[in-house]
Structures are given as structure tokens and as C-alpha cells.
Amino acid sequence: MSYGGGGGYPQQSAPGGYGGGYPQPGGYPPGGAGMPTPESASAAAYGPGGGGLPYAPQPGGGQNIGFGQPGYPAQPAYPAQGGYPAPAAGYTPAPGGFGAPAPYGAGGVGGPTPGYGAPPASQPGYGAPPASQPGYGAPPASQPGYGAPPASQPGYGAPPASQPGYGAPPASQPGYGAPPASQPGYGAPQAQAGGYGAPAAGYGAPAAGYGAPAGGYGAPAGGYGGGAPNPAQFKIYEEGTLKPFPNFNAEQDVQVLRRAMKGAGTDEKAVIDILGRRTCDQRQQIKLMYKTCFGRDLINDLKSDLGGNFEDACVALLMKADEYDAYELRRAMRGAGTDESALIEILCTRTNAQIHAINAAYKLIYGRKLEDDIINETSGHFRKLLVSMSVGGRQENQPVDLNKAKIDAQRLYEAGERRWGTDENTFNMVLASQSYEQCRAVFAEYGQIAKHDIEQGIAKELSGDVSKGMITIVRMIRSKQSYFADRLYNSMKGLGTDDRTLIRIIVTRCEVDMKQIKAEFQRLFGKTLEAFVRDDISGDYRKLMLALVS
């Protein structure tokens, strides 16, 4: 290996005038008697007795001569090379150059004579080497391995762009550049079951423990007392099964409907194909266009030609959403008894804007205030709860505040299980005023405080209609989809069918979140909603219901 500086191995700092590093072959005077002893070297370099040694005598006898040997202080490292690049592979230095240090004397036996001092500058191998000697001084630029390496020699200078692994990697080489879109794990994720892309069945259902609890409405999966929940967990994704009909033409649809009902008999298939595959907005345009074209009311014509549950379902589809809800609320309170479940279902699952529209429609259709009828038909804390929800004042855009959720959960616990008797007003305030997402956070925090689900706490502390109403609200707020799936199941299980509930839920939810309701129905009951509908009802009524949920 060649060292820069023009003087062979760098000069050592050892006292006594040793030459430039290890002596070179032929550099010692001939006839040497071998390596000097410690005593002779000490006497020659530092005076008799070794009194001039720069170190204390070492235990165990004399000192060894040489670098890095026991007894000598650590030698300074060779200075950094003067910028010469590493020689090419296989390069052998010229004779007398700076390869591996030659051994002492011929055959590694000879050495300097005792008492040698500074070697004469004229003697080869000592002092500054002659510039003409190969391997010393500034190396000739023409000699391979010295100076600026030739650009043509592989491994030196800027690597050729064509050489694999250097420069800009070829786009065709796997693992370089933009990863291929087809390779799993890179780029846009591939659509696959249970992975990325299209969500798996039931996607949008709340995370276990906060949305719909696994297995129904009981304690959330994962237990209580876990870590702080993420506010994003309290959002629920919704999607309906009924979409706007493409290339919708109201004039063509009313002509089909008129032909289906004109003359003897009715073409129920034509009615199902239109009413079962148009959104509420499109159906309202059809109803208006029917009267515009024929001067007749479509609902009246359907009533005169149809009957039974099929007629009820068709009429429900032709009513505006707020009109239908007002109609169902009035029916739930009219006559003997009250359908509390229908009141809860409608008032607790509609947005503030929908509640305001229902109040206006109720007053317009029946000439009376919805709140007054609620007060007249219900009582106690259940009445307070329904009145609170009928005003449409829920804080819908309230972001999830986990600190507030902890405070409200503690207040609910103190108002119920921690005291004698129950403060129903505290439960009413939280359940009726907070956003659905915030309520879900409160329910989760309540579980961590009480070590059981809030439904259990309400069931222990409240009774009657108010207990039923608040538990229903908790279930609905926790997961509307699970709540509606349970309502649909109960409308069809056993002997007979609650057709009013079945029609109302399918008609009002088919454009909102029917996909999630179907997923929850199958998860909870192990059978598809379509299969239940097919087994429980029949005829054109069944065909229309299946068209809405499929």
C-alpha cells in the first residue's frame, strides 16, 4: 500500500532519531549482529543504564523493541492517507515501494548495528527517498493505481449509468423506482376480502365495545375498563339499498302506471317495477306528474285498485317522508292505548331537521301540535323524554369530547346506582340533548365506571315505560342498525306479522342505512333479511318489500 507525503512511512516520534518507520530491505548496514538488546539500545540512545528512557522500568525485566509491544506506550496512528484512492484489485507495488514492511535484515534476521543514530540521508531506504525511485514521492500519473483513476476503469469515478445498481435505477428492474401497482403492498391497495378496497360485509358497524355490542345489546365486547377510546370509533357509516333510478323519466312512468290500473284488473308487476325502484324524490315527481297529465290523484287510484298490505305499502311509498312519519305518529297515539315503540322509533331516529319537518306536517295535516298530543297521550318521565326529543334540539354537530363524556358518565352513575332512588332528569338531559356520537362515548365511559353496561344500570334503577323508553334510546343511539334489525325480527317472528312495523321500517330506511341493517340482521339472527321476508309474507306485498331491500 502506498502512503502519501513523499517520505515513505511517516516519521515516528520515538526519541533517538530512528529513521522513517520500519527499515527497508538493504537499509541496515551489512554484517549486523541481529536485533539490539534492550540494554544496548538503551545505552546507545539514552545513555548508560537506560536512565534516559521516557518511561519507568517495567516489571519483569527488560523491554522489547518494536511497535505495539508490551512496555512501550501506544504509538500514534498513521496519519490519513493523502487522498490516494485504494489501488485496483490485484495491484502489486513495485520492488522497494510501500508494500507490507519488509522484515529486518535478510531473511528477517539482520538489523541495525548497536548504537545506530540518525541514518545518513544518502543511504537508500533512509530519510527522504529519491524522487526517481518507483513508489516514492509523487507517483507518476501514468502508473495504474496512482493519481486520478482512469474514468474507464470500473469501480472508479462516476459509475456508468448502464451498470445495474448505479445511478438512476432502470424502471424495469423490480424493487427500483415506482413500485409496480400489481405488487401487493405497494401503490393503491388491492380490493380483497377482509383487506383493502371494497369494505367487507358489515363495514361501517361500530367498533366492538362502542357501537353495536357483539352478540346484541349486552355488554360491549372487550369488557370494561379498557384504554381511552378513540373519538373516531363513535362514527357509524350508513348506506341504503334503494338508489336513484338512472335515466329517470316521470312522464313515461305515469303512463305505465295509468295503463296498469286502467280497465279490468291491475298490472301489479308494473306498479312494483316503478314504485319499488324509484327513490322518494322521484316518487314525488311521479305523483305530481300523474295529476298533471291525467287530472287524477295517484294515491286514490291505487287505493281503488289495490288492497291489503300491498296497498298500505304503496301508499306509504307515495307519501313524503315527513308526512308518513306524522301519519305514523298520529296512528300510534290514536284510539285506546299508545304504541310507545313506534313513538320512540320515529322520534329518536330522525335528525333535527326531520323532526322540525314532522312537526310542521303534523300541524298541517291534523291541525294540532304534536307536542300537545304527546302530553295528552303519555305521562310521567316517559312523557318528558318524548317531549324533549320532539322539539328537535339535539346537539347534532357536537364533536366527541371524552373529558365531558367522563363527567356525564359519572353524573349518570351518581344519579342512579350511587344513590337511593333515581334522578330521572339527569338521564333525560344526557340522552335527549347530546349527539349520538357523544352519547356513545358516555356509554363507554359509564361501562368503565360501573363495570357493567348502561342498559343494566337503567334496568336496575328505572321501571315501566320510562325504563323501556330509555333502554330503547340507548340501543338505538348505540347502533341504529342493530336496533332496526331487532325491530324487523320481532315484527316477523312467531305467529303473525306486525305489518305496520315491517312496512314502516323498510320504507323509511331503504334509502338511509338498509345495507347495514341487513348485515346486522344476519349477524344477530343467522339468516338474511330477504329470507325472513320471503318466508313470512307472500304475494305482491312480498315482491314489493323484497324489491326495496334487495
Side-chain angles (χ1 to χ4, degrees), residues 37-217:
T37 66
E39 292 78 9
S40 64
S42 172
Y46 302 107
L53 283 172
Y55 48 83
Q58 301 299 310
Q63 306 298 324
N64 294 323
I65 300 299
F67 295 107
Q69 299 299 320
Y72 272 86
Q75 298 301 314
Y78 292 124
Q81 300 180 25
Y84 291 122
Y91 168 73
T92 303
F98 297 106
Y104 293 111
V109 179
T113 58
Y116 71 91
S122 61
Q123 186 169 348
Y126 292 93
S132 60
Q133 185 170 350
Y136 292 94
S142 60
Q143 184 171 351
Y146 291 94
S152 61
Q153 185 169 352
Y156 291 94
S162 61
Q163 185 170 351
Y166 292 95
S172 61
Q173 185 170 352
Y176 291 94
S182 61
Q183 185 170 352
Y186 291 94
Q190 292 181 319
Q192 56 185 358
Y196 299 99
Y203 171 74
Y210 300 107
Y217 297 112

Side-chain angles (χ1 to χ4, degrees), residues 307 317 477:
L317 287 169
I477 289 176

Side-chain angles (χ1 to χ4, degrees), residues 254-529:
V254 299
Q255 291 174 1
V256 172
L257 287 172
R258 184 59 191 150
R259 286 196 301 268
M261 292 182 287
K262 187 168 61 176
T266 304
D267 185 356
E268 288 86 358
K269 183 179 183 304
V271 175
I272 294 170
D273 286 343
I274 292 178
L275 297 187
R277 291 174 173 81
R278 306 293 188 272
T279 62
C280 185
D281 288 341
Q282 291 175 337
R283 294 193 298 267
Q284 297 310 306
Q285 296 180 51
I286 290 172
K287 186 169 68 172
L288 178 62
M289 184 60 67
Y290 191 92
K291 184 170 285 189
T292 300
C293 291
F294 308 114
R296 302 169 65 94
D297 186 80
L298 179 56
I299 291 179
N300 290 337
D301 282 358
L302 286 172
K303 284 183 175 181
S304 64
D305 280 66
L306 306 177
N309 294 318
F310 182 48
E311 175 192 329
D312 291 340
C314 289
V315 170
L317 287 169
L318 286 170
M319 297 175 74
K320 293 180 181 178
D322 53 355
E323 294 174 348
Y324 183 52
D325 283 340
Y327 171 77
E328 286 295 295
L329 287 170
R330 181 59 186 154
R331 183 198 59 78
M333 294 183 286
R334 188 173 52 209
T338 303
D339 187 349
E340 292 87 357
S341 296
L343 296 177
I344 291 285
E345 176 195 310
I346 296 171
L347 293 175
C348 295
T349 60
R350 305 309 191 244
T351 65
N352 287 345
Q354 290 171 332
I355 292 291
H356 298 155
I358 291 169
N359 277 285
Y362 196 94
K363 180 67 179 291
L364 180 64
I365 296 171
Y366 304 109
R368 51 204 298 162
K369 291 179 65 175
L370 174 61
E371 182 180 331
D372 291 342
D373 281 355
I374 291 174
I375 292 172
N376 293 332
E377 297 296 331
T378 59
S379 61
H381 291 289
F382 181 60
R383 175 171 63 192
K384 292 180 182 178
L385 183 62
L386 293 183
V387 169
S388 295
M389 292 185 293
S390 69
V391 298
R394 189 181 292 278
Q395 302 177 69
E396 290 178 337
N397 298 321
Q398 173 188 23
V400 175
D401 184 340
L402 295 180
N403 289 329
K404 187 176 186 305
K406 292 178 182 179
I407 294 172
D408 285 343
Q410 187 65 43
R411 293 175 68 183
L412 290 175
Y413 187 62
E414 298 286 344
E417 300 184 58
R418 284 290 299 273
R419 56 172 288 173
W420 182 261
T422 305
D423 180 6
E424 292 88 350
N425 292 326
T426 299
F427 282 85
N428 188 95
M429 179 187 66
V430 174
L431 296 181
S433 67
Q434 306 300 296
S435 68
Y436 292 160
E437 292 81 8
Q438 183 68 20
C439 282
R440 293 177 193 124
V442 172
F443 301 160
E445 293 295 340
Y446 188 95
Q448 295 186 24
I449 294 171
K451 306 305 178 186
H452 58 71
D453 192 69
I454 190 172
E455 288 187 35
Q456 294 176 257
I458 293 174
K460 284 167 49 178
E461 297 299 320
L462 303 174
S463 61
D465 287 338
V466 67
S467 176
K468 178 182 177 182
M470 288 188 178
I471 289 177
T472 301
I473 292 172
V474 169
R475 291 178 176 180
M476 183 278 308
I477 289 176
R478 177 171 280 149
S479 172
K480 278 185 197 177
Q481 290 75 39
S482 292
Y483 168 72
F484 282 122
D486 185 68
R487 293 278 289 158
L488 286 169
Y489 174 77
N490 284 290
S491 72
M492 293 181 285
K493 75 171 183 177
L495 296 176
T497 304
D498 183 355
D499 296 292
R500 280 286 185 182
T501 299
L502 180 63
I503 293 171
R504 182 176 61 249
I505 294 177
I506 290 180
V507 168
T508 58
R509 308 312 296 184
C510 62
E511 295 181 48
V512 181
D513 54 0
M514 185 54 72
K515 282 192 175 182
Q516 286 70 46
I517 292 172
K518 289 167 60 177
E520 283 299 297
F521 192 98
Q522 184 164 5
R523 182 182 71 84
L524 292 172
F525 308 112
K527 192 174 181 179
T528 65
L529 177 59

